[in-house]
PDB file of all heavy atoms in Angstrom:
ATOM      1  N   TYR V 379     -31.730 -56.653 -39.998  1.00  0.00           N
ATOM      2  CA  TYR V 379     -32.226 -57.979 -40.301  1.00  0.00           C
ATOM      3  C   TYR V 379     -33.433 -58.254 -39.403  1.00  0.00           C
ATOM      4  O   TYR V 379     -33.465 -57.838 -38.235  1.00  0.00           O
ATOM      5  CB  TYR V 379     -31.136 -59.024 -40.037  1.00  0.00           C
ATOM      6  CG  TYR V 379     -31.643 -60.416 -40.116  1.00  0.00           C
ATOM      7  CD1 TYR V 379     -31.682 -61.099 -41.340  1.00  0.00           C
ATOM      8  CD2 TYR V 379     -32.103 -61.103 -38.988  1.00  0.00           C
ATOM      9  CE1 TYR V 379     -32.174 -62.382 -41.437  1.00  0.00           C
ATOM     10  CE2 TYR V 379     -32.586 -62.397 -39.071  1.00  0.00           C
ATOM     11  CZ  TYR V 379     -32.642 -63.033 -40.311  1.00  0.00           C
ATOM     12  OH  TYR V 379     -33.135 -64.292 -40.395  1.00  0.00           O
ATOM     13  N   GLY V 413     -28.100 -53.575 -27.285  1.00  0.00           N
ATOM     14  CA  GLY V 413     -27.544 -54.161 -28.470  1.00  0.00           C
ATOM     15  C   GLY V 413     -28.564 -54.861 -29.366  1.00  0.00           C
ATOM     16  O   GLY V 413     -28.228 -55.666 -30.226  1.00  0.00           O
ATOM     17  N   GLY V 415     -30.562 -53.092 -31.372  1.00  0.00           N
ATOM     18  CA  GLY V 415     -30.726 -52.245 -32.561  1.00  0.00           C
ATOM     19  C   GLY V 415     -31.643 -51.044 -32.329  1.00  0.00           C
ATOM     20  O   GLY V 415     -32.114 -50.468 -33.297  1.00  0.00           O
ATOM     21  N   LYS V 416     -31.891 -50.668 -31.099  1.00  0.00           N
ATOM     22  CA  LYS V 416     -32.823 -49.564 -30.838  1.00  0.00           C
ATOM     23  C   LYS V 416     -32.255 -48.250 -31.435  1.00  0.00           C
ATOM     24  O   LYS V 416     -32.944 -47.545 -32.169  1.00  0.00           O
ATOM     25  CB  LYS V 416     -33.026 -49.368 -29.293  1.00  0.00           C
ATOM     26  CG  LYS V 416     -33.580 -50.608 -28.644  1.00  0.00           C
ATOM     27  CD  LYS V 416     -33.840 -50.386 -27.186  1.00  0.00           C
ATOM     28  CE  LYS V 416     -32.610 -50.153 -26.344  1.00  0.00           C
ATOM     29  NZ  LYS V 416     -31.706 -51.280 -26.203  1.00  0.00           N
ATOM     30  N   THR V 417     -30.975 -47.988 -31.106  1.00  0.00           N
ATOM     31  CA  THR V 417     -30.392 -46.728 -31.602  1.00  0.00           C
ATOM     32  C   THR V 417     -30.312 -46.717 -33.118  1.00  0.00           C
ATOM     33  O   THR V 417     -30.614 -45.728 -33.764  1.00  0.00           O
ATOM     34  CB  THR V 417     -28.981 -46.558 -30.993  1.00  0.00           C
ATOM     35  OG1 THR V 417     -29.074 -46.865 -29.639  1.00  0.00           O
ATOM     36  CG2 THR V 417     -28.446 -45.179 -31.208  1.00  0.00           C
ATOM     37  N   SER V 418     -29.925 -47.862 -33.653  1.00  0.00           N
ATOM     38  CA  SER V 418     -29.719 -47.847 -35.108  1.00  0.00           C
ATOM     39  C   SER V 418     -31.054 -47.764 -35.828  1.00  0.00           C
ATOM     40  O   SER V 418     -31.141 -47.192 -36.925  1.00  0.00           O
ATOM     41  CB  SER V 418     -28.867 -49.002 -35.579  1.00  0.00           C
ATOM     42  OG  SER V 418     -29.521 -50.192 -35.378  1.00  0.00           O
ATOM     43  N   TYR V 548     -32.502 -61.450 -29.708  1.00  0.00           N
ATOM     44  CA  TYR V 548     -32.423 -62.295 -30.895  1.00  0.00           C
ATOM     45  C   TYR V 548     -32.155 -63.747 -30.510  1.00  0.00           C
ATOM     46  O   TYR V 548     -31.488 -64.014 -29.521  1.00  0.00           O
ATOM     47  CB  TYR V 548     -31.314 -61.789 -31.835  1.00  0.00           C
ATOM     48  CG  TYR V 548     -31.566 -60.396 -32.338  1.00  0.00           C
ATOM     49  CD1 TYR V 548     -30.733 -59.340 -31.960  1.00  0.00           C
ATOM     50  CD2 TYR V 548     -32.636 -60.133 -33.181  1.00  0.00           C
ATOM     51  CE1 TYR V 548     -30.942 -58.065 -32.415  1.00  0.00           C
ATOM     52  CE2 TYR V 548     -32.861 -58.835 -33.633  1.00  0.00           C
ATOM     53  CZ  TYR V 548     -32.009 -57.811 -33.247  1.00  0.00           C
ATOM     54  OH  TYR V 548     -32.257 -56.556 -33.709  1.00  0.00           O
ATOM     55  N   ARG V 564     -19.773 -54.631 -41.945  1.00  0.00           N
ATOM     56  CA  ARG V 564     -19.532 -53.339 -41.309  1.00  0.00           C
ATOM     57  C   ARG V 564     -18.176 -53.308 -40.568  1.00  0.00           C
ATOM     58  O   ARG V 564     -17.424 -52.369 -40.696  1.00  0.00           O
ATOM     59  CB  ARG V 564     -20.662 -53.042 -40.308  1.00  0.00           C
ATOM     60  CG  ARG V 564     -20.781 -51.563 -39.992  1.00  0.00           C
ATOM     61  CD  ARG V 564     -21.915 -51.290 -39.062  1.00  0.00           C
ATOM     62  NE  ARG V 564     -23.162 -51.857 -39.521  1.00  0.00           N
ATOM     63  CZ  ARG V 564     -24.172 -52.245 -38.659  1.00  0.00           C
ATOM     64  NH1 ARG V 564     -24.024 -52.104 -37.386  1.00  0.00           N
ATOM     65  NH2 ARG V 564     -25.258 -52.760 -39.135  1.00  0.00           N
ATOM     66  N   VAL V 596     -26.688 -57.961 -29.833  1.00  0.00           N
ATOM     67  CA  VAL V 596     -25.532 -58.414 -30.605  1.00  0.00           C
ATOM     68  C   VAL V 596     -24.285 -57.574 -30.347  1.00  0.00           C
ATOM     69  O   VAL V 596     -23.381 -57.561 -31.149  1.00  0.00           O
ATOM     70  CB  VAL V 596     -25.851 -58.450 -32.130  1.00  0.00           C
ATOM     71  CG1 VAL V 596     -26.842 -59.536 -32.432  1.00  0.00           C
ATOM     72  CG2 VAL V 596     -26.353 -57.100 -32.622  1.00  0.00           C
ATOM     73  N   ARG V 597     -24.311 -56.827 -29.236  1.00  0.00           N
ATOM     74  CA  ARG V 597     -23.193 -55.880 -29.018  1.00  0.00           C
ATOM     75  C   ARG V 597     -21.886 -56.636 -28.783  1.00  0.00           C
ATOM     76  O   ARG V 597     -20.863 -56.308 -29.382  1.00  0.00           O
ATOM     77  CB  ARG V 597     -23.537 -54.986 -27.830  1.00  0.00           C
ATOM     78  CG  ARG V 597     -22.694 -53.787 -27.862  1.00  0.00           C
ATOM     79  CD  ARG V 597     -23.234 -52.685 -27.002  1.00  0.00           C
ATOM     80  NE  ARG V 597     -24.266 -51.931 -27.682  1.00  0.00           N
ATOM     81  CZ  ARG V 597     -25.055 -51.076 -27.062  1.00  0.00           C
ATOM     82  NH1 ARG V 597     -24.939 -50.875 -25.766  1.00  0.00           N
ATOM     83  NH2 ARG V 597     -25.963 -50.364 -27.734  1.00  0.00           N
ATOM     84  N   GLU V 600     -20.627 -58.234 -31.902  1.00  0.00           N
ATOM     85  CA  GLU V 600     -19.952 -57.245 -32.782  1.00  0.00           C
ATOM     86  C   GLU V 600     -18.550 -56.959 -32.269  1.00  0.00           C
ATOM     87  O   GLU V 600     -17.594 -56.873 -33.026  1.00  0.00           O
ATOM     88  CB  GLU V 600     -20.778 -55.945 -32.791  1.00  0.00           C
ATOM     89  CG  GLU V 600     -20.344 -54.992 -33.878  1.00  0.00           C
ATOM     90  CD  GLU V 600     -21.255 -53.780 -34.017  1.00  0.00           C
ATOM     91  OE1 GLU V 600     -22.186 -53.611 -33.184  1.00  0.00           O
ATOM     92  OE2 GLU V 600     -21.031 -52.997 -34.927  1.00  0.00           O
TER      93      GLU V 600
HETATM   94  P1  ADP U   1     -29.190 -50.565 -28.678  1.00  0.00           P
HETATM   95  O1  ADP U   1     -29.439 -49.155 -29.005  1.00  0.00           O
HETATM   96  O2  ADP U   1     -30.440 -51.387 -28.634  1.00  0.00           O
HETATM   97  O3  ADP U   1     -28.383 -50.793 -27.463  1.00  0.00           O
HETATM   98  P2  ADP U   1     -27.679 -50.521 -31.094  1.00  0.00           P
HETATM   99  O4  ADP U   1     -28.692 -49.902 -31.956  1.00  0.00           O
HETATM  100  O5  ADP U   1     -26.547 -49.675 -30.636  1.00  0.00           O
HETATM  101  O6  ADP U   1     -28.344 -51.192 -29.836  1.00  0.00           O
HETATM  102  O7  ADP U   1     -27.123 -51.804 -31.821  1.00  0.00           O
HETATM  103  C1  ADP U   1     -25.870 -52.376 -31.574  1.00  0.00           C
HETATM  104  C2  ADP U   1     -25.276 -52.881 -32.868  1.00  0.00           C
HETATM  105  O8  ADP U   1     -25.982 -53.977 -33.342  1.00  0.00           O
HETATM  106  C3  ADP U   1     -25.362 -51.843 -33.958  1.00  0.00           C
HETATM  107  O9  ADP U   1     -24.176 -51.868 -34.682  1.00  0.00           O
HETATM  108  C4  ADP U   1     -26.519 -52.299 -34.794  1.00  0.00           C
HETATM  109  O10 ADP U   1     -26.441 -51.862 -36.101  1.00  0.00           O
HETATM  110  C5  ADP U   1     -26.438 -53.775 -34.655  1.00  0.00           C
HETATM  111  N1  ADP U   1     -27.753 -54.442 -34.829  1.00  0.00           N
HETATM  112  C6  ADP U   1     -28.632 -54.629 -33.860  1.00  0.00           C
HETATM  113  N2  ADP U   1     -29.738 -55.241 -34.340  1.00  0.00           N
HETATM  114  C7  ADP U   1     -29.551 -55.400 -35.674  1.00  0.00           C
HETATM  115  C8  ADP U   1     -30.300 -55.981 -36.741  1.00  0.00           C
HETATM  116  N3  ADP U   1     -31.518 -56.488 -36.532  1.00  0.00           N
HETATM  117  N4  ADP U   1     -29.783 -55.953 -37.962  1.00  0.00           N
HETATM  118  C9  ADP U   1     -28.552 -55.466 -38.183  1.00  0.00           C
HETATM  119  N5  ADP U   1     -27.786 -54.899 -37.229  1.00  0.00           N
HETATM  120  C10 ADP U   1     -28.263 -54.878 -35.982  1.00  0.00           C
END
Side-chain angles (χ1 to χ4, degrees):
Y379 171 86
K416 302 183 294 294
T417 314
S418 67
Y548 299 113
R564 201 178 308 153
V596 290
R597 199 163 278 169
E600 192 174 6

